[in-house]
């Protein structure tokens, strides 16, 4: 990997490299190549991996976008949740996806590999006020694998989630059921229990500045009215759409917060995977969706003008990857794939800090089955 140049580096202490969380608002957008789909896979309700399109969903729009009356509580008693399984699986399914893709684990393919959600988190950090993060990094065959680690606060929140919070989360999945189908042309099956663990994922490859990135992302639905072949060519030519729910906006303050936080997240999440459109179901407090709104991802930054700047997000991601690369390069333990670098940030703190946990530890996240399956 090309040795990254120093950026915003500041040493709080010798053993704790740190990076300042600040990007000037006039920053220029770093070079970012159009992300391309290079592979795909499905996960069933038990998070079992198959290298196919079995969980691919097709968008199915209602005749009218208003007066829908979709009740997101419908069938809630039968919902099959999956938050515990998702919280413990780390990047195992991404690693399975990489092995199944036939791509080599090498810097020629990508110098960073991770899940898309992790990149979204980093991109939105300059504007984040509530949730901190922890990111683990290990090096194998010159590739830096990155994995989100649940922070103590996130764990407390997950363990202490109230029935109401669980219901709000399930509303988002129920909305997906109302507006997607597994057979193009066949209306959505809204009586079946929602299986929240099911996912269809694509692997994307792109280049940010001079670094190649490979990441996995869950894709909500494809906008196609004939069944796709189970092949990469069909998926590469397909258009995906992102599905969201949001409480309907009833005052200026809510509208401002929607633009400041939700639209920022939606833009970052979808920009990374070249998704052009988002469909949002606006719901009331009882979970009834009356109306759909359509958003063009490329128009979102204009809607949120003066609240956040896309170039700040992307520059921060660029600087963070530079910082991670430099920190790992500078470390004498970097040849052991069990060694973990841990990067942390908390809202209100102006620095990301890193530390290293050498050798095998509870934080090591590259499993033996992965390390031994990668052929030279
Ligand atoms: P909404 O987007 O409608 O809120 P995604 O939008 O990324 O495809 O995620 C699908 C749904 O998963 C979300 O629907 C939400 O219900 C749930 N979800 C995603 N991230 C979550 C989180 N951190 N906590 C709780 N629920 C979450
Ligand atoms: Mg999704
Ligand atoms: Mg969605």
């Amino acid at each position: 990997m090309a040795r990254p140049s120093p950026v915003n580096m500041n040493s709080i202490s010798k053993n704790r490299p740190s990076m300042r969380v600040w990007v000037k608002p006039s920053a220029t957008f770093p070079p970012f190549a159009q992300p391309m789909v290079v592979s795909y896979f499905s996960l069933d309700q038990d998070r079992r991996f198959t290298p196919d399109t079995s969980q691919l969903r097709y968008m199915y729009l209602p005749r009218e976008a208003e007066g829908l009356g979709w009740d997101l509580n419908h069938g809630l008693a039968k919902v099959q949740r999956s938050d515990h399984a998702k919280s413990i699986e780390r990047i195992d399914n991404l690693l399975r996806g990489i092995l199944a893709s036939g791509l080599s684990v090498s810097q020629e393919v990508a110098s960073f590999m991770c899940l898309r959600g992790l990149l979204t988190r980093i991109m939105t950090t300059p504007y984040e006020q509530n949730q901190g993060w922890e990111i683990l990094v290990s090096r194998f065959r010159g590739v830096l694998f990155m994995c989100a680690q649940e922070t103590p606060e996130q764990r407390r929140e997950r363990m202490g989630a109230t029935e109401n919070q669980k219901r709000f989360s399930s509303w988002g999945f129920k909305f997906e059921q109302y507006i997607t189908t597994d057979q193009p042309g066949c209306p959505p099956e809204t009586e079946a229990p929602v299986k929240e663990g099911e996912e269809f994922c694509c692997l994307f490859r792109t280049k940010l500045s001079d670094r190649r990135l490979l990441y996995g992302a869950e894709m909500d639905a494809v906008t196609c009215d004939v069944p796709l072949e189970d092949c990469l060519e069909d998926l590469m030519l397909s258009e995906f759409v992102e599905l969201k729910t949001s409480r309907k906006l009833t005052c200026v303050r809510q509208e401002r917060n929607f633009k400041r936080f939700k639209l920022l997240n939606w833009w970052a999440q979808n920009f990374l995977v070249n998704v052009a459109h988002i469909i949002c179901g606006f719901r009331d407090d009882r979970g009834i969706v009356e109306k759909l709104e359509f958003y063009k991802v490329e128009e979102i930054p204009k809607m949120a003008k003066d609240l956040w700047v896309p170039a700040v997000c992307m520059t921060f991601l660029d600087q963070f990857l530079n910082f991670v690369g430099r920190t790992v390069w500078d470390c004498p333990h970097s040849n052991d794939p069990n060694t973990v670098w841990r990067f942390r940030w908390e809202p209100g703190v102006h620095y990301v800090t890193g530390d290293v946990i050498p050798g095998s530890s509870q934080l090591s996240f590259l499993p033996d089955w992965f390390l031994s399956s990668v052929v030279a």
Side-chain angles (χ1 to χ4, degrees):
M1 178 167 61
R3 208 179 163 83
S5 56
V7 280
N8 283 340
M9 289 287 290
N10 252 316
S11 267
I12 286 178
S13 81
K14 224 177 167 186
N15 299 325
R16 221 158 249 260
S18 70
M19 169 197 167
R20 209 175 151 206
V21 181
W22 188 80
V23 178
K24 60 176 191 284
S26 61
T28 47
F29 206 95
F32 184 70
Q34 179 167 312
M36 302 296 284
V37 179
V38 291
S39 192
Y40 58 92
F41 60 87
S42 291
L43 302 176
D44 71 9
Q45 175 58 17
D46 298 320
R47 309 293 287 170
R48 273 188 302 246
F49 175 99
T50 44
D52 60 26
T53 53
S54 50
Q55 299 294 346
L56 178 69
R57 312 282 307 166
Y58 297 80
M59 183 179 72
Y60 188 100
L61 284 179
R63 263 183 237 288
E64 304 283 340
E66 295 195 33
L68 298 171
W70 289 349
D71 184 355
L72 302 178
N73 298 290
H74 186 68
L76 192 63
K78 297 181 291 183
V79 68
Q80 298 182 25
R81 294 201 166 106
S82 180
D83 34 345
H84 175 68
K86 287 177 188 170
S87 73
I88 57 171
E89 75 184 19
R90 309 217 265 198
I91 58 168
D92 286 14
N93 284 317
L94 169 71
L95 300 176
R96 290 188 182 99
I98 293 168
L99 290 179
S101 73
L103 294 165
S104 66
V105 174
S106 67
Q107 287 176 29
E108 286 70 51
V109 169
S111 45
F112 288 86
M113 298 189 184
C114 60
L115 288 171
R116 179 262 311 262
L118 182 145
L119 300 178
T120 310
R121 288 308 284 274
I122 301 169
M123 283 169 71
T124 55
T125 298
Y127 300 104
E128 177 60 46
Q129 297 177 355
N130 288 315
Q131 280 233 332
W133 46 252
E134 271 186 41
I135 291 173
L136 308 179
V137 180
S138 285
R139 184 165 180 249
F140 179 54
R141 294 192 185 264
V143 175
L144 298 180
F145 289 88
M146 302 196 288
C147 174
Q149 162 82 352
E150 195 171 43
T151 65
E153 202 196 339
Q154 284 162 346
R155 184 180 153 77
R156 260 196 309 278
E157 271 180 24
R158 182 171 55 82
M159 303 296 278
T162 61
E163 277 313 305
N164 249 351
Q165 285 166 326
K166 290 185 195 166
R167 189 155 51 95
F168 291 154
S169 171
S170 290
W171 281 353
F173 294 102
K174 184 69 190 177
F175 175 68
E176 292 180 357
Q177 193 191 48
Y178 273 110
I179 200 168
T180 63
T181 176
D182 53 9
Q183 287 298 326
C186 295
E189 171 50 273
T190 56
E191 296 306 315
V194 176
K195 296 180 177 175
E196 299 183 356
E198 293 180 344
E199 273 183 23
F200 174 72
C201 297
C202 287
L203 287 187
F204 290 85
R205 191 168 172 238
T206 188
K207 204 170 173 189
L208 171 61
S209 295
D210 61 349
R211 279 171 225 98
R212 288 195 190 283
L213 315 179
L214 180 91
Y215 43 89
E218 192 250 337
M219 306 304 284
D220 286 346
V222 76
T223 61
C224 163
D225 44 22
V226 291
L228 293 184
E229 294 289 323
D230 195 330
C231 70
L232 187 57
E233 290 68 31
D234 269 21
L235 283 165
M236 286 173 80
L237 296 172
S238 299
E239 198 191 320
F240 286 89
V241 65
E242 171 63 38
L243 308 170
K244 293 289 184 196
T245 61
S246 195
R247 189 189 176 278
K248 63 183 180 189
L249 308 170
T250 50
C251 65
V252 174
R253 188 184 53 85
Q254 284 173 10
E255 234 166 82
R256 194 176 159 82
N257 281 337
F258 173 79
K259 289 179 181 172
R260 171 168 277 177
F261 301 111
K262 275 216 163 157
L263 286 189
L264 168 61
N265 266 293
W266 293 4
W267 172 79
Q269 182 194 36
N270 291 288
F271 178 77
L272 284 168
V273 291
N274 206 23
V275 162
H277 296 97
I278 298 170
I279 302 176
C280 178
F282 280 93
R283 60 160 179 86
D284 64 16
D285 287 330
R286 294 168 304 133
I288 309 294
V289 172
E290 289 295 349
K291 189 175 169 202
L292 302 180
E293 289 277 0
F294 299 76
Y295 294 89
K296 263 192 171 168
V297 173
E298 68 176 5
E299 285 174 5
I300 287 178
K302 268 182 270 156
M303 297 172 63
K305 201 162 153 286
D306 301 331
L307 296 172
W308 48 268
V309 180
V312 166
C313 302
M314 223 48 185
T315 301
F316 184 70
L317 175 60
D318 196 29
Q319 292 181 351
F320 176 78
L321 297 179
N322 198 4
F323 169 63
V324 169
R326 185 185 153 98
T327 305
V328 175
W329 265 98
D330 283 350
C331 179
H333 308 284
S334 71
N335 282 330
D336 182 347
N338 293 306
T339 289
V340 169
W341 285 264
R342 178 171 48 182
F343 296 91
R344 295 195 256 206
W345 175 76
E346 278 175 51
V349 177
H350 299 300
Y351 292 90
V352 173
T353 53
D355 62 351
V356 61
I357 302 99
S360 288
S361 71
Q362 279 199 327
L363 293 180
S364 304
F365 64 89
L366 294 176
D368 287 340
W369 58 256
F370 175 70
L371 299 175
S372 59
S373 311
V374 175
V375 284

